[in-house]
Amino acid sequence: MCAEKLLKFETTAVHGSKGFDPLTGAISFPIYQTATFKHGGLNESTGYDYSRLQNPTREEVENTVAKLEGAKFGAGFSTGVAAVTAVLSLFKPGDHILVSDDLYGGTFRLFRDIYGPYGIEHDFIDTADLNDVINNIKENTKAIFIETPSNPMMKVVDINGVVKLSKEKNLIVIVDNTFLTPYFQKPLNLGAHIVVHSGTKFLGGHNDTLAGFVVTNEEWINERIRFYEKSTGATLAPFDSWLILRGIKTLHIRMEKSQENAIKVAEFLKKHPKIKEVFYVGLPEHKGYEISKKQATGFGSMISFKVKNQEDVAKILKNVKVINFAESLGGVETLITYPQTQTHAEIPAEIKKRLGVTEDLLRLSIGIENISDLIEDLESALGC
């Protein structure tokens, strides 16, 4: 009997975990839009009982994301924040977690305002600096939570380096892989224990749904995550599961095209007389460029930049036409965001200043439009 061939990433993304619906043969996996499932008799089940516990459409997207990440287990949640919340449920009062200081404002809020009062201790540190990690590990430290590249300053964390430190102290390494996706980066292969995603972003890819995922190879972690999921009910709905499945089919194509555009936009911004500084991992002068080349196969499509004249921020946001001034990222449309009042509004001013999240900073999520249209749009907005 022939051994099952291990499929390449692109093929798995297109076909999904099962490849088709085994019940009907449907190539597009069906939306099982049902709350409950009929039992044949006492102690007889189809394997599905109630959609909060499991649903065939959600199961397919969970297994697909897990497969793409090289993981054994995956769990789907209603949002990325819900996925991070599930991970934090692994810890108890008195536990200490080291957290990337430069990260999504919603994650910052979870640590500081939701779990902090319940006794889960944390320190926001520069996880891109391994010495900073070493110096902040305490006796009660249980985990290290990192974003890489980080949001919005695009810091790159040496995942291998963090993993080596974690093994010495028996710490759990959690990586938010939203920006690069498993197409460009696989943290579990680098030794991380848990990967989280805002599936709303690149996995879905069309700015039309909300989703979150937790993937792991650790059975005990999966069991705890599953228990939390069924107990709190922040599960991914069938229709949203289907939208993510549909988005994943083109993930590799979108990631390549948006990265191709991002490199050109970064080069344009770098040379523009009104731009003070550009933060893009794919620029050779970026501090994390070499580390990124070692641990990832691409640089992604997220760019932050600072203008020389702060007054230009409002002009750019008002005058872009092709690029949309909107929160979020990872869709086919290019979006521009003002972290100061949007994604990072609730982060204290002193922390934002230390990180460089200042009033002259803008963030771009580059889409798949024609590159000439994007550059001309930026050029026009900057010149107005």
Side-chain angles (χ1 to χ4, degrees):
M1 187 174 181
C2 295
E4 184 179 353
K5 180 178 172 59
L6 188 64
L7 299 176
K8 300 293 190 296
F9 184 99
E10 296 86 344
T11 307
T12 300
V14 169
H15 290 270
S17 176
K18 290 182 178 177
F20 59 91
D21 177 31
L23 181 64
T24 64
I27 297 300
S28 175
F29 202 90
I31 305 167
Y32 283 88
Q33 193 65 46
T34 181
T36 191
F37 301 83
K38 180 179 178 178
H39 299 287
L42 183 63
N43 297 323
E44 293 181 24
S45 172
T46 61
Y48 305 97
D49 302 315
Y50 189 60
S51 277
R52 175 163 50 81
L53 307 179
Q54 189 52 288
N55 175 284
T57 317
R58 190 172 86 235
E59 182 180 63
E60 176 66 7
V61 73
E62 288 172 339
N63 290 340
T64 297
V65 173
K67 207 168 186 178
L68 294 175
E69 281 283 5
K72 294 179 182 177
F73 310 105
F77 292 86
S78 54
T79 66
V81 170
V84 176
T85 302
V87 171
L88 294 183
S89 75
L90 297 171
F91 305 98
K92 62 183 187 301
D95 287 347
H96 175 253
I97 304 173
L98 294 176
V99 188
S100 292
D101 54 5
D102 184 41
L103 81 171
Y104 170 54
T107 307
F108 179 94
R109 186 171 56 237
L110 272 180
F111 276 98
R112 185 191 63 179
D113 300 331
I114 304 299
Y115 281 91
Y118 282 99
I120 294 180
E121 301 173 18
H122 60 273
D123 281 307
F124 294 108
I125 66 165
D126 184 3
T127 50
D129 182 350
L130 292 180
N131 287 323
D132 206 21
V133 176
I134 293 168
N135 292 335
N136 282 280
I137 294 174
K138 303 177 181 178
E139 286 188 11
N140 60 334
T141 303
K142 303 297 180 183
I144 305 173
F145 185 104
I146 60 178
E147 271 191 19
T148 184
S150 66
N151 182 8
M153 301 309 296
M154 309 302 157
K155 293 183 184 179
V156 175
V157 179
D158 182 351
I159 299 175
N160 264 320
V162 171
V163 166
K164 287 178 182 177
L165 290 176
S166 74
K167 287 180 178 178
E168 295 172 10
K169 302 292 183 179
N170 197 28
L171 308 179
I172 297 172
V173 177
I174 306 154
V175 179
D176 186 328
N177 199 29
T178 298
F179 273 18
L180 290 187
T181 81
Y183 181 63
F184 282 145
Q185 182 171 261
K186 291 184 171 63
L188 296 181
N189 289 353
L190 299 168
H193 303 92
I194 301 171
V195 167
V196 294
H197 281 280
S198 173
T200 308
K201 311 305 193 298
F202 291 100
L203 295 182
H206 292 80
N207 290 318
D208 57 8
T209 188
L210 302 176
F213 294 93
V214 178
V215 296
T216 183
N217 283 320
E218 306 290 333
E219 189 169 356
W220 74 269
I221 291 175
N222 180 62
E223 287 177 359
R224 292 274 297 276
I225 294 293
R226 286 292 184 186
F227 179 79
Y228 176 88
E229 183 179 40
K230 76 175 184 180
S231 300
T232 62
T235 52
L236 188 59
F239 183 60
D240 296 302
S241 298
W242 182 83
L243 285 171
I244 299 296
L245 279 171
R246 185 177 66 166
I248 285 174
K249 289 178 183 292
T250 58
L251 176 63
H252 54 289
I253 299 171
R254 290 185 287 104
M255 293 300 288
E256 289 286 356
K257 178 59 179 176
S258 59
Q259 177 179 251
E260 177 187 318
N261 281 349
I263 292 169
K264 293 175 181 176
V265 169
E267 289 288 352
F268 162 77
L269 290 171
K270 190 173 71 169
K271 296 172 184 175
H272 198 282
K274 290 188 177 182
I275 302 303
K276 179 165 61 177
E277 195 171 4
V278 178
F279 306 91
Y280 178 58
V281 182
L283 293 174
E285 62 267 28
H286 188 282
K287 189 176 179 180
Y289 180 79
E290 292 301 329
I291 294 173
S292 188
K293 282 176 64 177
K294 290 178 182 177
Q295 67 186 22
T297 57
F299 303 110
S301 57
M302 298 301 300
I303 303 171
S304 290
F305 64 96
K306 291 187 176 185
V307 293
K308 290 179 180 178
N309 185 348
Q310 189 179 310
E311 292 179 0
D312 283 336
V313 167
K315 293 178 183 177
I316 293 167
L317 296 177
K318 184 71 175 177
N319 291 311
V320 285
K321 305 299 181 188
V322 176
I323 297 168
N324 295 294
F325 174 28
E327 294 192 49
S328 200
L329 57 102
V332 291
E333 304 91 354
T334 298
L335 304 181
I336 190 165
T337 300
Y338 188 45
Q340 184 72 210
T341 61
Q342 292 182 300
T343 56
H344 291 68
E346 294 185 44
I347 294 178
E350 66 273 13
I351 296 179
K352 284 192 283 195
K353 184 177 180 181
R354 173 168 55 82
L355 294 174
V357 185
T358 46
E359 294 180 350
D360 56 356
L361 181 78
L362 290 161
R363 191 193 72 186
L364 283 165
S365 171
I366 304 298
I368 63 172
E369 301 96 335
N370 181 281
I371 186 60
S372 297
D373 290 332
L374 293 179
I375 289 177
E376 287 171 15
D377 194 37
L378 282 169
E379 196 162 32
S380 174
L382 282 161
C384 288

